[in-house]
Amino acid sequence: MIRRHVGHTGLQVSRLGLGTMGWGGSNISAADARDLLLTFHRAGGTLIDTAAAYGRGGAEQLLGTLLDSVVPRDDMIIATKAGFGVRDGHRVVDTSRTAMLRDLDQSLERLGTDWIDLWQVHAWGDAPIEETLAAMDYAVSSGRVRYIGVSNFVGWQTAYASAWQRAIPQRTPLASAQVEYSLLARRAEMEVLPAVRGLGAGFFPWSPLGRGVLSGKYRHGTPRDSRGASDHFSWFVEPYLDNRYRGVVEAVARAAEGMELQPAQVALLWTRDSPGVTAPLLGARTVEQLTCCLQTEELTLPPEITAALDDVSGGPVQGRP
């Protein structure tokens, strides 16, 4: 698999990443996770994205059991996140120095590793961002973290954090940003992507298949085995089942039919090759789904198909040739 630099850093990752949001719960078993990781590794994938909050630590715990036993730790770029969790049944963002460093220590223990390749703050919190970033600097200086990034920040937040880190040479520059981006979610083009490109940071879109909707599986109803039918994940999918997104889904399906591809492949190619993108993060639940995405390695969309999808989903993409 082709590798890309993460912004203006020396860090290189595969141009597709494997996400683990569904790991550590009832949706993906340990055997499924093992097969997904092995399939990804055999295809040349290196970037694994996880978080302390996923499965309340279960995703990191499961991934930790697979590193070295299934794939070599040194072959993988582990990106995890801190500052977000669940307390007393409620989602809580705590990006204080105490919470960030506590999350880091627990992540390292669960993953069974001495270092995190890319450590990201999961969301903008109530703690002063300067305090959060100082904790991240300390993690780097202590040797437990190699690079730092932000997740789910809007444009001005990304720019503020990057400018703060650049103000003094001893601080660690932001290497990357991560937000949702797909044909069904192009809000990142308004501020985040221009900021990322201007700051020289990498960009990792999550849900590049529109939370699975762009795969076409929901065109004629909600499959029983889908996330949309799950008590745990239905809230995640439902926003894109609205009729206003139907035209985009149908356009992707028509393009896929004409190119003899799967709709998921067309949607992924559009995101993967959009300006500023480093590596879309795949939330595949099965080896079949993952293999479908991995088969795009040698493929690109014709310019006329890309332009048509741009038009139907919101207009031209800034920076596209």
Side-chain angles (χ1 to χ4, degrees), residues 229-242:
S230 163
D231 291 337
H232 186 61
F233 278 112
S234 59
W235 65 271
F236 186 66
V237 177
E238 283 174 359
Y240 295 147
L241 299 181
D242 189 281

Side-chain angles (χ1 to χ4, degrees), residues 132-155:
T132 305
L133 294 169
M136 301 182 87
D137 281 332
Y138 175 72
V140 173
S141 65
S142 65
R144 292 175 290 173
V145 167
R146 301 289 191 259
Y147 296 89
I148 64 171
V150 298
S151 176
N152 299 315
F153 279 29
V154 298

Side-chain angles (χ1 to χ4, degrees), residues 49-321:
D49 183 77
T50 188
Y54 292 169
R56 300 189 181 187
E60 289 182 332
Q61 187 77 44
L62 179 51
L63 178 57
T65 67
L66 301 175
L67 294 176
D68 284 329
S69 65
V70 174
V71 300
R73 164 65 179 95
D74 289 345
D75 287 357
M76 297 289 102
I77 302 298
I78 305 299
T80 193
K81 300 181 273 301
F84 181 83
V86 178
R87 296 179 190 167
D88 300 323
H90 300 285
R91 293 176 182 166
V92 175
V93 177
D94 186 350
T95 55
S96 65
R97 180 184 181 90
T98 298
M100 292 290 292
L101 294 177
R102 180 188 62 231
D103 280 357
L104 175 60
D105 288 339
Q106 292 175 353
S107 291
L108 290 167
E109 182 177 357
R110 286 189 292 258
L111 289 164
T113 186
D114 294 328
W115 79 97
I116 302 299
D117 298 285
L118 176 61
W119 193 42
Q120 304 152 101
V121 54
H122 206 148
W124 184 274
D126 291 332
I129 187 62
E130 297 84 357
E131 177 180 334
T132 305
L133 294 169
M136 301 182 87
D137 281 332
Y138 175 72
V140 173
S141 65
S142 65
R144 292 175 290 173
V145 167
R146 301 289 191 259
Y147 296 89
I148 64 171
V150 298
S151 176
N152 299 315
F153 279 29
V154 298
W156 74 263
Q157 293 167 344
T158 304
Y160 185 100
S162 180
W164 180 264
Q165 291 303 96
R166 289 183 176 202
I168 297 178
Q170 288 75 21
R171 294 174 184 159
T172 307
L174 287 188
S176 66
Q178 177 183 141
V179 300
E180 183 176 11
Y181 184 55
S182 73
L183 279 161
L184 298 184
R186 293 180 55 182
R187 292 180 298 276
E189 293 173 18
M190 298 295 293
E191 292 185 353
V192 176
L193 268 167
V196 164
R197 289 196 294 266
L199 297 167
F203 179 60
F204 302 115
W206 57 263
S207 282
L209 304 185
R211 309 187 185 188
V213 175
L214 288 167
S215 70
K217 69 172 69 175
Y218 299 100
R219 291 173 70 198
H220 307 295
T222 302
R224 289 185 180 181
D225 62 346
S226 67
R227 282 180 173 165
S230 163
D231 291 337
H232 186 61
F233 278 112
S234 59
W235 65 271
F236 186 66
V237 177
E238 283 174 359
Y240 295 147
L241 299 181
D242 189 281
N243 284 335
R244 58 183 165 161
Y245 297 108
R246 188 176 298 276
V248 180
V249 174
E250 293 302 316
V252 170
R254 287 195 300 272
E257 183 178 356
M259 296 180 65
E260 298 184 345
L261 298 176
Q262 295 298 314
Q265 294 173 321
V266 171
L268 178 59
L269 287 167
W270 183 90
T271 302
R272 187 197 70 187
D273 296 334
S274 287
V277 169
T278 304
L281 304 174
L282 305 171
R285 293 184 297 115
T286 68
V287 169
E288 181 182 12
Q289 291 173 348
L290 179 59
T291 300
C292 173
C293 293
L294 295 174
Q295 288 172 344
T296 62
E297 179 61 21
E298 304 297 329
L299 304 175
T300 56
L301 292 180
E304 58 270 25
I305 296 294
T306 300
L309 293 175
D310 287 353
D311 289 343
V312 76
S313 63
V317 176
Q318 182 181 3
R320 195 187 297 285

